[in-house]
Amino acid sequence: MRASASGVVVNTFDAIEASELAKIQTELSQPAFAVGPLHKLSPAAAAEHNFLHAPDRSCLAWLDAHPPRSVLYVSLGSVACVDRAVFDEMARGLAGSGVPFLWVIRPGSVRGAAEDAPPLPAGLDMNRGKVVPWAPQRDILAHPAIGGFWTHCGWNSTLESVYEGVPMLTQPCFADQTVNARYVTHQWGVGLELGEVFDRERVAEAVRKLMVGEEGAVMRARARRLKIQANQSAAATLAIDNLVKYIYSL
C-alpha cells in the first residue's frame, strides 16, 4: 500500500493534530491532507436516512426546556457494549449526580441483555433524565442546553463534540477509542477520564465536576477555543482545494 499510495486523506484538522500529520508525511514521504471535520464539509452525510437507527427527535423539544449548558448528553455510540453491572452504576451515578441528562440506551448495548433496551435499575429516580434508544447526535451536540458529552470517544463522536465546543467525559471501550480519549483529556484538555474504578459515587462526582465544577469550566473554555478553530477549518476550502489540485496533477 505504501508503494502504490500517492498521499493520505485524514478526517482531522491542523489545530488538533498538526504534529501527527507531519509525522505521517515524513514516514510515508507522501503528502497528508487534513480535510476534516468531514461531517461539516459533506451535508449529505448528515441526512437522517443515514442513521443506524431511527432517532427519537422528541429529545430536542425536551432540551428546549432546559437552561444553556445544563444537560449532560450520554451515548456510547453504535457498537460499544457494557456489562450489566457497569450499566447499573452508570444509571445510579447519573441519577445521583443532580445533573439533568439525556441518555441514549441503544438496543443490545448491554452484554447478556435482550435485544430490546435493557430495563433501568428498580427504584431509580429519573425525574432529571430522559432516555431514548437513539438520537440525532449532531443536532443534540449543537443544542445550547448541552453542557457536556459522556462518550466512548469514537473518532466521529470526538470530532463532532470538538466542533460544537462541548467538553467530554471519556469512557473508551476498544480500538482507537483509548488513544482518542487520551488526546481529549491530556493533549487538548477538554475532558475528564472516568477511570477504571467504576461505581456510582465516582460517576456522580465526575459528572458534577464536568458540569458544574471549576475544572469543568476551564475545560469548557478550552473546548470553545477548539470550536473556533474547527469552525474556521470547516469554513475554509483550502485543504479540499489542495487535495483536488493534487489529484489532478497525478
Side-chain angles (χ1 to χ4, degrees), residues 25-36:
Q25 293 192 153
T26 299
E27 290 184 13
L28 294 184
S29 298
Q30 298 286 2
F33 298 91
V35 296

Side-chain angles (χ1 to χ4, degrees), residues 219-233:
M219 292 177 181
R220 192 163 289 107
R222 291 188 190 127
R224 283 196 295 267
R225 289 194 291 271
L226 271 189
K227 174 182 179 178
I228 293 170
Q229 293 171 314
N231 278 257
Q232 288 171 340
S233 178

Side-chain angles (χ1 to χ4, degrees), residues 6-250:
S6 298
V8 181
V9 180
V10 192
N11 183 19
T12 189
F13 57 100
D14 284 334
I16 58 173
E17 293 197 286
S19 61
E20 288 76 8
L21 290 163
K23 289 174 185 175
I24 290 172
Q25 293 192 153
T26 299
E27 290 184 13
L28 294 184
S29 298
Q30 298 286 2
F33 298 91
V35 296
L38 279 177
H39 73 282
K40 282 297 178 181
L41 296 177
S42 178
E48 194 154 306
H49 65 267
N50 286 330
F51 283 115
L52 181 66
H53 305 287
D56 182 346
R57 301 193 70 86
S58 68
C59 57
L60 294 171
W62 182 83
L63 287 173
D64 289 341
H66 289 80
R69 298 180 296 280
S70 64
V71 178
L72 177 70
Y73 172 54
V74 185
S75 176
L76 299 185
S78 57
V79 177
C81 297
V82 297
D83 295 330
R84 179 73 213 200
V86 170
F87 175 81
D88 287 351
E89 294 304 303
M90 287 177 69
R92 296 194 182 282
L94 282 168
S97 70
V99 171
F101 61 90
L102 171 61
W103 189 5
V104 174
I105 303 179
R106 191 189 76 247
S109 59
V110 176
R111 295 185 188 93
E115 285 301 310
D116 295 332
L120 292 166
L124 196 68
D125 181 3
M126 288 293 293
N127 287 332
R128 293 188 183 89
K130 182 174 178 62
V131 173
V132 295
W134 200 246
Q137 179 163 294
R138 292 166 188 163
D139 292 337
I140 288 168
L141 289 172
H143 197 286
I146 294 298
F149 181 16
W150 181 341
T151 174
H152 65 311
C153 289
W155 188 242
N156 287 333
S157 290
T158 301
L159 270 189
E160 289 164 8
S161 197
V162 165
Y163 186 87
E164 299 299 345
V166 178
M168 290 167 259
L169 276 181
T170 66
Q171 187 185 353
C173 298
F174 55 81
D176 65 318
Q177 297 165 13
T178 301
V179 177
N180 298 342
R182 189 75 175 178
Y183 272 79
V184 168
T185 57
H186 287 70
Q187 188 78 6
W188 309 329
V190 295
L192 293 171
E193 293 176 309
L194 278 163
E196 294 183 7
V197 179
F198 201 91
D199 58 53
R200 66 196 70 177
E201 287 81 13
R202 286 175 181 262
V203 167
E205 180 185 5
V207 169
R208 287 191 292 266
K209 187 181 293 186
L210 182 74
M211 296 297 292
V212 298
E214 292 183 9
E215 191 173 353
V218 171
M219 292 177 181
R220 192 163 289 107
R222 291 188 190 127
R224 283 196 295 267
R225 289 194 291 271
L226 271 189
K227 174 182 179 178
I228 293 170
Q229 293 171 314
N231 278 257
Q232 288 171 340
S233 178
T237 61
L238 183 61
I240 291 289
D241 291 344
N242 287 340
L243 173 60
V244 171
K245 290 177 184 177
Y246 184 68
I247 291 173
Y248 275 121
S249 72
L250 296 176

